[in-house]
């Protein structure tokens, strides 16, 4: 060991490593003799008989293991750390808060190739550099170039640019110089090589960005309220659809980029990113990276690296982008903060919105949560003063609020779910040359197929659910487990040919509309019609240009798309949200309703929304329609307070499932018995109970809900409970998971 080493020669250097395997803990290893390894570096470590990739999270740790039992790191995989100490802190904090596995959390945050033992993708651009000394005194020093002015010019330019130049940069300075470069390379004066990312990031004078509009008074007040140079602060930008929230983001982004810092923008869904990305690209001239799950692995890795090295100044991404290293982070924005897709519901379960707040706190910068329909959690934080509440009460520009009409469809004849009132209204708008948007949150042709003779229904053999008829593909499909059967031509039970679809999905409504409006351009937008990559983008762009007259779709259509030609929004059915068994059902219904309604009349033309319902007198629905989302939220929060539900308490859901009938419940009974003594009396346990859909994909599911008055208490109980859960006896085929701050309580 070198003499400067601060440790006594006898003390082995111990590395704490997060291994990419579900171990539930960090492991200690001996550092390689060959020298220092910094935190954030990947290593290969022995684990049992295998070798695994791990990440060093701390060095020179005291270890509980005797020196003889420590195994040595087998190899160091990176020359320099992939993650900075702040990134490690954040990821390990997230793993701890959500009671996830540290290794899974850390490696889940890396681009796919880096989760394996593969080296960083060399994405530095190719270019040319003068060899050392070659360019010195170009004219005097190289008599052989006397009659080659092009080569002299190229060499002189490279001599002045020691970091090198890309082909593009050379071409824009000197025109095509492929031949002189070849000649110079032949003389050993220049070299083709990889250039530093900074040399490449210098953009070739991007097109002038669009000029920003003048903010209205509310927007200006909101933008002024967010101090971008005063450290951490959390802001709720609560603005009706079309009120110009995005303009406020753009203003803040410009300010932060000008100050030389980076910006992270999180959006719920990929479908939202094309429009938003284009809008950002037109307005922001700084280099931008985009991260979402539809990218190829190498594209993701490139975007991740651009953010991590600082060459990208703005990162726009879906939920997992919250984990991307951003060394100069100066602002975090979460658009549509209420959206459920910001919550990861499988594997390492986390809320990207809540983590965004933590991330901003760690980076000591502001975070802005934007929505037209804020979640009750966030509204509560704003109303109790923990977040600053910024309101944009009016639509920006010239658009006016849509008018909402209620179509009471009790005892009304419906044509494939469409009431006479809605059809009449549609005809009127179509005749006037406008676009109509119809919302039905159910894809497929019909949610069930039944036998008219014996009453057979198309049940899934693996779930407590019906199989949906997809007539276009002639299939019965279970939307819960993915099971598919060919569409039967006769009843599997009594062989009667009289099989009938019951109810309707978007495919069936499309059929009806095509018959009713023959030749009228219509687009159905749901997961089935947009399976092909780029299809959603294409359909939405065509819709925005006004090429379709009717847009029919599921909640894919409800999200922030800008569809200026839509003057009528028809909502076919939201009633299930009024009486859902999840306590968040009405909140979700209200958000969906307001979001869909927000698609109407976003430009000069005023809009109308027609809501079909069998419960026009439902108190929460009528409150929402009469007084708006804010009043609805006040009443809904009062109900939550009364029932002691979140945000007035804090929950964690323990779920278990197994192919065997009783196993999940048995496990949770044990879990409850173990947990009770660990928790003070104010912690409540609900269950164990069968899940709402007890059987799914052939597994029987159960759940146990923990509820505590404070986050801190809940965390303490979970910390004590987790090791106990890991030690419980359970059959091999039982799986369990813990969901902290669950968004679905079913
Ligand atoms: P939101 O994000 O709240 O839905 P946007 O920022 O998309 O709202 O704005 C809605 C529409 O109004 C967009 O077409 C936008 O260009 C326009 N807009 C926003 N702010 C202004 C403004 N201050 N002046 C004129 N038009 C504006
Ligand atoms: Zn039958
Ligand atoms: Zn199924």
């Amino acid at each position: 060991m070198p003499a400067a080493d601060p440790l006594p020669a006898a003390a082995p250097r111990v590395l704490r490593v997060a291994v990419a395997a579900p171990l539930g803990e960090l492991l200690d290893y001996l550092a390689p003799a060959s020298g220092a390894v910094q935190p954030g570096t990947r290593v290969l470590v022995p684990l049992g008989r295998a070798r695994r990739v791990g990440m060093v999270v701390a060095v020179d740790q005291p270890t509980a293991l005797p020196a003889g039992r420590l195994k040595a790191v087998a190899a160091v995989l990176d020359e320099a750390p992939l993650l900075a100490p702040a990134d490690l802190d954040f990821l390990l904090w997230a793993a701890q808060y959500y009671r996830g596995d540290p290794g899974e959390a850390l490696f889940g945050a890396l681009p796919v190739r880096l989760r394996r033992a593969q080296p960083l993708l060399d994405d530095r651009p190719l270019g040319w550099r003068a060899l050392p000394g070659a360019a010195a005194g170009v004219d005097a020093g190289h008599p052989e170039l006397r009659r080659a002015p092009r080569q002299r010019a190229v060499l002189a330019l490279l001599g002045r640019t020691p970091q090198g130049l890309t082909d593009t940069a050379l071409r824009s300075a000197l025109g095509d110089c492929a031949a002189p470069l070849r000649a110079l390379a032949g003389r050993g004066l220049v070299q083709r090589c990889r250039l530093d990312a900074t040399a490449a990031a210098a953009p070739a004078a991007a097109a002038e960005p669009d000029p920003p509009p003048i903010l209205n008074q509310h927007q200006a007040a909101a933008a002024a309220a967010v101090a971008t140079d005063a450290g951490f602060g959390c802001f709720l930008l609560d603005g009706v659809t079309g009120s110009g929230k995005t303009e406020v983001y753009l203003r803040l982004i410009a300010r932060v980029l000008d100050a030389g810092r980076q910006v992270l923008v999180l959006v719920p869904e990929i479908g939202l990113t094309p429009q938003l990305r284009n809008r950002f690209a037109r307005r922001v001239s700084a280099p931008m990276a985009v991260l979402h799950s539809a990218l190829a692995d190498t594209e993701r890795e490139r975007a991740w690296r651009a953010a991590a090295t600082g060459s990208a100044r703005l990162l726009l991404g879906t939920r997992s982008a919250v984990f991307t290293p951003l060394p100069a982070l100066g602002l975090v924005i979460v658009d549509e903060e209420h959206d459920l897709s910001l919550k990861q519901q499988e594997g390492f379960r986390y809320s990207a919105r809540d983590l965004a707040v933590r991330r901003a706190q760690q980076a000591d910068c502001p975070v802005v949560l934007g929505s037209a329909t804020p979640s009750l959690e966030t509204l509560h934080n704003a109303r109790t003063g923990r977040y600053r509440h910024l309101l944009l009460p009016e639509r920006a520009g010239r658009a006016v609020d849509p008018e909402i009409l209620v179509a009471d469809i009790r005892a009304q004849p419906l044509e494939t779910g469409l009431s006479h009132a809605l059809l009449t209204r549609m005809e009127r708008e179509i005749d006037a040359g406008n676009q109509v948007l119809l919302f039905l949150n159910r894809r497929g042709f019909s949610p069930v197929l039944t036998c008219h003779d014996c009453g057979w229904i198309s049940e899934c053999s693996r779930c407590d659910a019906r199989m949906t008829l997809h007539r276009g593909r002639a299939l019965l499909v279970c939307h819960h487990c993915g099971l598919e059967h060919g569409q039967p031509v006769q009843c599997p039970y009594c062989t009667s040919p009289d099989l009938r679809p019951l109810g309707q999905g978007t495919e069936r409504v499309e059929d009806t509309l095509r018959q009713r409006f023959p030749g009228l351009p219509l687009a159905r937008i749901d997961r089935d019609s947009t399976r092909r990559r780029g299809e959603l983008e294409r359909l939405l762009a065509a819709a925005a240009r006004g090429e379709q007259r009717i847009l029919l779709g599921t909640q894919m259509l409800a999200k922030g798309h800008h569809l200026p030609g839509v003057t009528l929004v028809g909502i076919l059915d939201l009633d299930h949200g009024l009486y859902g068994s999840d306590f968040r059902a009405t909140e979700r219904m209200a958000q969906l309703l307001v979001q869909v309604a927000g698609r109407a009349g976003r430009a000069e033309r005023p809009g109308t929304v027609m809501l079909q319902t069998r419960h026009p007198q439902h108190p929460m629905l009528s409150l929402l329609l009469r007084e708006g989302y804010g009043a609805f939220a006040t009443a809904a929060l009062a109900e939550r307070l009364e029932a002691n539900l979140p945000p007035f308490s804090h929950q964690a859901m323990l779920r278990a499932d197994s192919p065997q009938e009783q196993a999940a419940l048995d496990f949770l009974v044990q879990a409850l018995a173990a947990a009770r003594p660990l928790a003070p009396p104010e912690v409540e346990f609900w269950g164990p109970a069968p899940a709402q859909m007890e059987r799914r994909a052939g597994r029987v599911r159960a759940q146990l809900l923990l509820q505590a008055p404070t986050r801190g208490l809940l965390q303490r109980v979970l910390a004590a409970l987790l090791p106990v859960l890991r030690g419980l006896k359970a059959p091999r085929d039982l799986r369990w998971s813990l969901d902290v701050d669950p968004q679905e309580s079913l």
Side-chain angles (χ1 to χ4, degrees):
M1 275 189 193
D5 198 302
L7 289 171
R13 308 198 66 160
V14 176
L15 305 180
R16 189 145 292 164
V17 176
V19 179
L23 305 174
E25 56 181 357
L26 302 168
L27 300 182
D28 290 338
Y29 287 92
L30 276 178
S34 56
V37 183
Q38 286 172 277
T41 309
R42 289 176 306 155
V43 288
L44 213 52
V45 293
L47 183 73
R49 291 205 192 149
R51 282 183 170 190
R52 290 301 184 97
V53 186
M55 170 140 331
V56 177
V57 302
V59 296
D60 294 339
Q61 292 297 300
T63 179
L65 282 177
R69 299 258 328 268
L70 279 176
K71 290 186 184 167
V73 160
V76 179
L77 295 174
D78 301 307
E79 282 170 29
L82 290 181
L83 298 174
D87 303 322
L88 288 172
D89 280 356
F90 175 66
L91 285 161
L92 292 174
W93 184 90
Q96 184 170 48
Y97 181 84
Y98 289 107
R99 302 290 147 193
D101 182 85
E104 287 189 326
L106 280 182
F107 279 90
L110 293 180
V112 174
R113 292 175 55 264
L114 303 182
R115 296 176 199 172
R116 311 186 206 116
Q118 288 169 337
L120 262 181
L121 196 66
D122 196 349
D123 62 345
R124 292 171 306 162
L126 277 168
W128 296 89
R129 227 182 260 153
L131 284 164
V138 168
D139 290 314
H142 298 287
E144 73 274 26
L145 296 185
R146 201 166 300 143
R147 280 198 260 149
R150 299 269 301 142
Q151 291 181 44
R152 278 211 317 270
V154 171
L155 187 58
L157 179 61
L158 286 174
R160 289 196 300 274
T161 338
Q163 75 272 26
L165 287 168
T166 60
D167 298 294
T168 322
L170 278 164
R171 200 174 319 117
S172 64
L174 299 172
D176 180 15
C177 29
L181 281 166
R182 254 196 319 275
L184 287 167
R187 295 178 198 278
L189 296 171
V190 301
Q191 188 184 34
R192 185 139 184 87
C193 53
R194 297 244 174 221
L195 306 179
D196 291 340
T198 43
E208 256 322 278
D210 285 357
I214 297 168
L215 297 185
N216 66 34
Q217 136 215 1
H218 300 292
Q219 288 172 310
V226 181
T228 43
D229 54 5
F232 174 67
C234 193
F235 301 85
L236 166 60
L237 184 58
D238 178 355
V240 298
T241 33
S243 59
K245 294 184 290 296
T246 312
E247 279 305 326
V248 175
Y249 303 154
L250 283 164
R251 209 55 62 101
L252 297 172
I253 290 169
R255 222 194 283 153
V256 172
L257 292 176
D258 282 347
R261 301 188 70 180
Q262 287 174 294
V263 178
L264 170 63
V265 180
L266 295 177
V267 294
E269 242 165 290
I270 162 77
L272 278 177
T273 39
Q275 275 192 345
L276 200 64
R277 174 180 49 203
N278 295 341
R279 191 159 163 200
F280 278 25
R282 282 199 311 274
R283 291 284 295 282
V284 177
S285 52
M288 171 164 103
V290 180
L291 262 181
H292 54 76
S293 55
L295 292 177
D297 289 349
T298 50
E299 290 175 299
R300 280 182 72 81
E301 188 171 334
R302 244 180 232 122
W304 185 89
R305 281 259 283 166
T309 57
S311 65
R313 308 308 297 172
L314 174 63
L315 176 65
L316 175 64
T318 46
R319 62 181 174 243
S320 64
V322 75
F323 297 118
T324 313
L326 290 154
L329 185 60
L331 172 67
V332 182
I333 290 170
V334 184
D335 193 27
E336 310 290 352
E337 68 82 33
H338 64 279
D339 199 297
L340 196 54
S341 8
L342 289 166
K343 173 81 163 58
Q344 170 70 33
Q345 311 270 33
E346 277 162 26
F348 177 50
R349 294 163 173 80
Y350 61 87
S351 155
R353 178 205 49 219
D354 295 350
L355 282 178
V357 174
R358 171 72 195 181
R359 182 97 199 252
Q361 192 176 34
Q362 189 200 42
D364 198 27
C365 74
V367 51
V368 178
L369 310 179
S371 178
T373 53
S375 63
L376 295 185
E377 278 92 349
T378 299
L379 262 182
H380 179 63
N381 280 327
R383 290 178 179 178
T384 52
R386 197 170 324 169
Y387 297 174
R388 260 304 281 276
H389 198 166
L390 309 173
L391 281 162
L392 302 180
E394 292 160 13
R395 287 192 161 190
R398 311 237 306 267
V400 290
D401 286 346
E403 173 197 17
I404 300 191
L405 306 173
V406 174
D408 182 353
I409 52 170
R410 282 174 296 185
Q412 292 283 315
L414 297 178
E415 195 178 334
T416 321
L418 300 158
S419 63
H420 182 69
L422 179 55
L423 282 165
T424 311
R425 195 83 195 198
M426 285 177 69
E427 272 158 11
R428 208 162 92 198
E429 294 301 324
I430 288 164
D431 287 347
N434 296 323
Q435 276 177 312
V436 173
L437 184 154
L438 293 182
F439 175 80
L440 174 63
N441 213 6
R442 196 183 299 126
R443 62 196 175 89
F445 189 84
S446 70
V448 62
L449 184 68
T450 179
C451 170
H452 191 63
D453 287 331
C454 76
W456 169 86
I457 54 172
S458 54
E459 278 176 329
C460 177
S461 56
R462 311 172 64 209
C463 307
D464 295 331
R466 277 90 186 264
M467 294 183 88
T468 300
L469 174 63
H470 286 253
R471 215 173 60 175
R473 294 191 289 150
L475 288 176
L476 286 175
V477 180
C478 174
H479 287 181
H480 303 283
C481 71
L483 187 69
E484 293 184 355
H485 288 308
Q487 179 181 352
V489 288
Q490 57 178 45
C491 173
Y493 189 73
C494 75
T495 72
S496 156
D498 193 0
L499 295 178
R500 300 184 182 185
L502 278 190
Q504 53 275 326
T506 47
E507 203 185 321
R508 192 172 198 177
V509 176
E510 178 187 2
D511 269 19
T512 302
L513 291 172
R514 287 199 190 279
Q515 283 162 27
R516 175 120 192 172
F517 302 99
L520 194 73
L522 175 155
R524 170 162 65 89
I525 298 186
D526 56 29
R527 257 203 293 144
D528 300 311
S529 70
T530 57
R531 235 167 257 269
R532 206 153 19 105
R533 198 171 165 188
E535 187 65 7
L536 175 63
E537 200 165 349
R538 196 185 66 74
L539 285 173
L540 284 173
R545 286 193 301 271
E547 282 167 25
Q548 284 101 12
R549 306 297 301 289
I550 301 180
L551 302 166
L552 161 69
T554 56
Q555 62 178 351
M556 272 185 144
L557 260 188
K559 315 262 167 161
H561 314 296
H562 191 55
L563 301 165
V566 171
T567 52
L568 172 65
V569 167
I571 301 174
L572 270 53
D573 180 12
L574 274 182
D575 283 349
H576 51 274
L578 293 173
Y579 296 98
S581 39
D582 188 326
F583 71 86
R584 287 188 173 84
T586 32
E587 177 186 355
R588 294 266 145 69
M589 183 278 305
Q591 288 164 343
L592 202 49
L593 174 65
V594 174
Q595 295 287 342
V596 181
R599 301 306 119 215
R602 281 174 58 93
E604 329 275 82
R605 287 174 269 191
T608 305
V609 179
M610 183 172 278
L611 171 70
Q612 300 190 151
T613 177
R614 291 194 171 79
H615 307 282
Q617 267 98 42
H618 187 286
M620 290 304 260
L621 178 62
S622 35
L623 179 63
L624 175 67
L625 297 178
R626 225 174 37 240
E627 293 178 43
Y629 186 79
F632 162 85
T634 303
L637 277 168
E639 283 186 1
R640 298 269 183 98
L641 178 62
E642 183 78 11
N644 191 29
L645 286 167
F648 302 97
S649 60
H650 299 271
Q651 298 182 335
M653 181 74 90
L654 182 60
R655 299 190 180 89
D657 62 63
S658 155
Q660 296 163 48
E661 209 52 56
Q662 216 27 54
L665 270 176
D666 285 350
F667 176 82
L668 293 181
V669 168
Q670 282 189 73
L672 177 61
R676 270 249 162 77
L678 298 173
E682 60 269 35
V683 174
E684 293 172 63
F685 294 90
W686 296 359
Q692 164 90 349
M693 185 187 299
E694 186 174 12
R695 215 164 39 94
R696 181 172 173 163
R699 301 182 69 92
V700 183
R701 313 185 307 152
Q703 59 195 33
L704 171 66
L705 187 72
L706 285 72
Q707 182 173 301
T710 66
R711 225 178 262 286
L713 180 55
L714 182 66
Q715 283 288 330
R716 280 199 298 284
V717 173
L718 294 177
L721 178 60
L722 219 63
V724 180
L725 289 179
R726 290 211 176 88
L728 286 183
K729 273 219 305 289
R732 279 190 83 82
D733 51 13
L734 181 126
R735 289 186 313 216
W736 61 268
S737 66
L738 191 63
D739 190 357
V740 179
D741 304 331
Q743 284 295 307
E744 287 171 318
S745 327
L746 296 178

